[in-house]
Amino acid sequence: MNQLTQIINVALPKGRLGEKVYDMFEAAGYPCPSIKEDSRKLIFENAEIGIRYFWVKPSDVAIYVERGAADIGVAGKDILLEYSPDIYELLDLNMGKCRMAVAGKKDFRDNTNRPLRVATKFSNIALDYYNRKGRDIDIIKLQGSIELAPILGLSDVIVDIVETGTTLKENNLEVMETIVPISARLISNKVSFKFKNYEIESIVKNMQQVMK
């Protein structure tokens, strides 16, 4: 168990990934047994060692950290690339691994005489990717069932997170290009990193030991 001299607020992503991340914190010496109790509580504190955890929606972790409600947190690289929060990225946790990819129908051929219609939740990532390729695109912003878009002719391709690719295959779609690998990252508020540097650096060091 590692004693911290100041309370460190940690934003954990709700769900399976967050539970794995908490296990990693626990293994690194920052346990908070009450977090494993069956309750609707959102905030859990171990005052004895100086750590406070709270569950938030995965896409909100970076906002809590950027705005200082959390000193550190764990967010997917997809969120960091899409929203470019003003935070420090401290550590790749090698968890929640997947990739951001372009996918489409197996017989799709790009007609470069017109803008490529791209359905995605990740419009900034898609725009950045195709800008670098010098390709004009028409972004179709969707929130769910992105795979439907090319099947129904709403889009030419999709830009989305791909884990196993099973959903794509079942819908006669395939990955055409990988944009970037994605994994969970430990991030820090910039002011917290300055004023709670010893505590945050200690956590990073102990997390690295767990990962070895």
Side-chain angles (χ1 to χ4, degrees):
M1 197 177 284
N2 296 298
Q3 190 85 31
L4 299 169
T5 53
Q6 299 185 76
I7 283 270
I8 296 293
N9 292 294
V10 185
L12 294 175
K14 281 181 185 173
R16 206 172 52 211
L17 175 63
E19 288 166 11
K20 285 183 182 174
V21 169
Y22 169 74
D23 289 341
M24 200 171 177
F25 273 96
E26 187 176 64
Y30 306 101
C32 185
S34 62
I35 204 168
K36 293 194 167 178
E37 292 170 6
D38 186 18
S39 79
R40 291 181 177 235
K41 278 175 64 180
L42 296 173
I43 301 174
F44 307 87
E45 185 174 326
N46 185 339
E48 189 185 333
I49 60 169
I51 202 143
R52 182 185 296 127
Y53 297 102
F54 46 94
W55 297 116
V56 299
K57 190 177 175 183
S59 56
D60 291 342
V61 169
I63 298 167
Y64 277 83
V65 173
E66 181 180 35
R67 301 250 173 188
D71 298 306
I72 59 174
V74 174
K77 185 66 176 176
D78 53 316
I79 300 296
L80 304 182
L81 289 170
E82 180 64 20
Y83 299 107
S84 301
D86 189 23
I87 49 88
Y88 291 134
E89 190 177 314
L90 304 179
L91 191 61
D92 182 348
L93 299 179
N94 286 319
M95 300 170 93
K97 285 187 170 185
C98 50
R99 57 182 165 151
M100 187 68 64
V102 179
K105 284 179 162 179
K106 292 181 179 179
D107 59 357
F108 173 71
R109 295 291 174 268
D110 188 5
N111 176 4
T112 53
N113 294 321
R114 61 169 177 78
L116 183 71
R117 296 172 304 152
V118 181
T120 187
K121 296 177 199 172
F122 302 98
S123 49
N124 289 329
I125 291 174
L127 279 167
D128 179 65
Y129 178 67
Y130 282 106
N131 279 343
R132 283 186 275 120
K133 294 185 76 167
R135 181 73 173 95
D136 284 338
I137 64 168
D138 172 17
I139 289 276
I140 301 161
K141 182 98 174 175
L142 296 176
Q143 291 304 322
S145 300
I146 308 285
E147 296 85 4
L148 268 177
I151 296 167
L152 298 179
L154 178 64
S155 75
D156 299 311
V157 296
I158 62 174
V159 168
D160 203 10
I161 290 172
V162 176
E163 288 185 54
T164 62
T166 305
T167 307
L168 294 176
K169 281 177 192 156
E170 286 176 355
N171 289 285
N172 294 315
L173 303 175
E174 65 182 7
V175 171
M176 295 151 63
E177 300 155 72
T178 293
I179 297 175
V180 66
I182 302 292
S183 57
R185 310 297 167 100
L186 182 67
I187 61 174
S188 171
N189 174 270
K190 288 188 169 180
V191 174
S192 299
F193 191 75
K194 183 179 179 183
F195 290 103
K196 297 182 178 180
N197 185 264
Y198 169 77
E199 290 81 3
I200 292 172
E201 290 280 25
S202 296
I203 290 171
V204 171
K205 189 175 71 183
N206 287 318
M207 297 280 266
Q208 285 172 325
Q209 290 297 321
V210 169
M211 289 169 65
K212 281 183 181 175

